[in-house]
Amino acid sequence: MPKFCANLTWLFNELDFLDRFEAAKEAGFDAVEVLFPYDVNAQDIVDALGRYELRMALMNCPPPNYTGGPQGYAAVPGLDERFKKDFGRAIRYAETLGATHLHIMSGVAEGTEAKETFINNLRWAAAEAPAQSLTIEPINNETMPGYFLNDFDLGREIVEAIDAPNLRLQFDTFHAAKITGDVMGTWDAMRDITAHVQVAQMSGRGEPDQGQIDFPAFFALLDAQGYAGWVSGEYKPRATTTEGLGWLAGP
């Protein structure tokens, strides 16, 4: 089976945030991801990671805007300086937490200028933090209307245009199913540029068990192809998280 990690923004949220690390370890996870950890003292997270011998697999960039603004704007024309400033804060947090990957969100935008802005900002970020693995994630427009990076072929085009060793794709099965309707085929087309995988079922974005996506087959495919990265459970538990973890044991 692949190496599984737990998204603590979505899982174990019946518990206080810092208690989720212990719950993840007890459930058998060796790594976690947190989408926006910035409102928690970084040292508290570092202590929890160390106490339960967990890795921080991924976090998002930029930090959320607490005045109601967008969470991502790397592709939004005119916000280049804001992106660079907030990227600096995100990198400091990622380094403190030892985050394997930092996911850069494109934000809501469209058109040629947005594409150029996204490429320029990503090229700058990859050079600014050459030791940090960066990812971009295609997100379907139903979940996030107007999101610029809403297509896997566009994701490949951008990764290849920048051609930086520390920039790769983030593959989410839920978004792949929404965008293409073919999770297995999309994975085969994108696996060579993919650094991180997230899983949730269709429909409802629940546990990766019963539903439209054949997860036992998907996990077997990852194993057969030698995928060595993390596979994160990023889904909405039907009940408590622990009650829905049967999928970890495999078929």
Side-chain angles (χ1 to χ4, degrees), residues 4-6 8 18 20-33 44-57 97-98 230:
F4 293 116
C5 77
L8 296 188
L18 289 173
R20 298 174 197 175
F21 293 83
E22 181 180 10
K25 187 65 176 183
E26 289 181 349
F29 293 103
D30 291 319
V32 298
E33 62 179 27
D44 289 341
I45 298 177
V46 170
D47 291 345
L49 292 169
R51 184 177 305 119
Y52 301 111
E53 299 181 327
L54 292 165
R55 296 281 307 278
M56 179 63 73
L97 302 185
W230 294 106

Side-chain angles (χ1 to χ4, degrees), residues 95-229:
E95 290 175 346
T96 300
L97 302 185
T100 303
H101 305 297
L102 182 62
H103 167 216
I104 297 177
M105 301 187 71
S106 72
V108 174
E110 63 179 352
T112 301
E113 188 178 3
K115 182 178 178 181
E116 292 174 353
T117 299
F118 197 31
I119 288 174
N120 289 339
N121 280 333
L122 290 172
R123 182 175 285 122
W124 173 86
E128 183 74 7
Q132 176 65 59
S133 171
L134 307 174
T135 64
I136 57 174
E137 178 188 16
I139 295 177
N140 78 84
N141 268 334
E142 182 180 331
T143 298
M144 195 169 290
Y147 194 74
F148 175 74
L149 184 55
N150 57 18
D151 180 82
F152 281 89
D153 289 335
L154 176 60
R156 172 175 284 281
E157 182 182 349
I158 289 170
V159 167
E160 291 180 347
I162 295 167
D163 192 25
N166 59 329
L167 177 68
R168 290 292 182 265
L169 204 69
Q170 184 172 318
F171 184 93
D172 186 302
T173 60
F174 175 79
H175 293 304
K178 284 280 193 181
I179 293 168
T180 72
D182 180 9
V183 172
M184 299 295 196
T186 306
W187 166 255
D188 274 336
M190 298 294 150
R191 65 186 178 93
D192 63 309
I193 59 167
T194 296
H196 187 68
V197 173
Q198 294 171 322
V199 293
Q201 186 55 273
M202 279 283 291
S203 57
R205 206 170 185 179
E207 283 88 347
D209 46 27
Q210 71 263 31
Q212 299 175 24
I213 303 170
D214 185 348
F215 277 104
F218 181 64
F219 295 150
L221 181 62
L222 296 184
D223 281 342
Q225 293 173 340
Y227 172 73

Side-chain angles (χ1 to χ4, degrees), residues 35-97:
L35 298 186
F36 296 103
Y38 303 95
D39 59 346
V40 180
N41 183 281
Q43 189 59 51
D44 289 341
I45 298 177
V46 170
D47 291 345
L49 292 169
R51 184 177 305 119
Y52 301 111
E53 299 181 327
L54 292 165
R55 296 281 307 278
M56 179 63 73
L58 179 137
M59 52 184 278
N60 283 357
C61 167
N65 184 299
Y66 296 105
T67 61
Q71 290 186 336
Y73 36 81
V76 180
L79 295 183
D80 309 67
E81 292 307 312
R82 178 179 173 186
F83 170 78
K84 291 177 179 178
K85 178 181 177 181
D86 284 349
F87 181 79
R89 181 185 175 202
I91 279 293
R92 291 191 295 274
Y93 234 88
E95 290 175 346
T96 300
L97 302 185

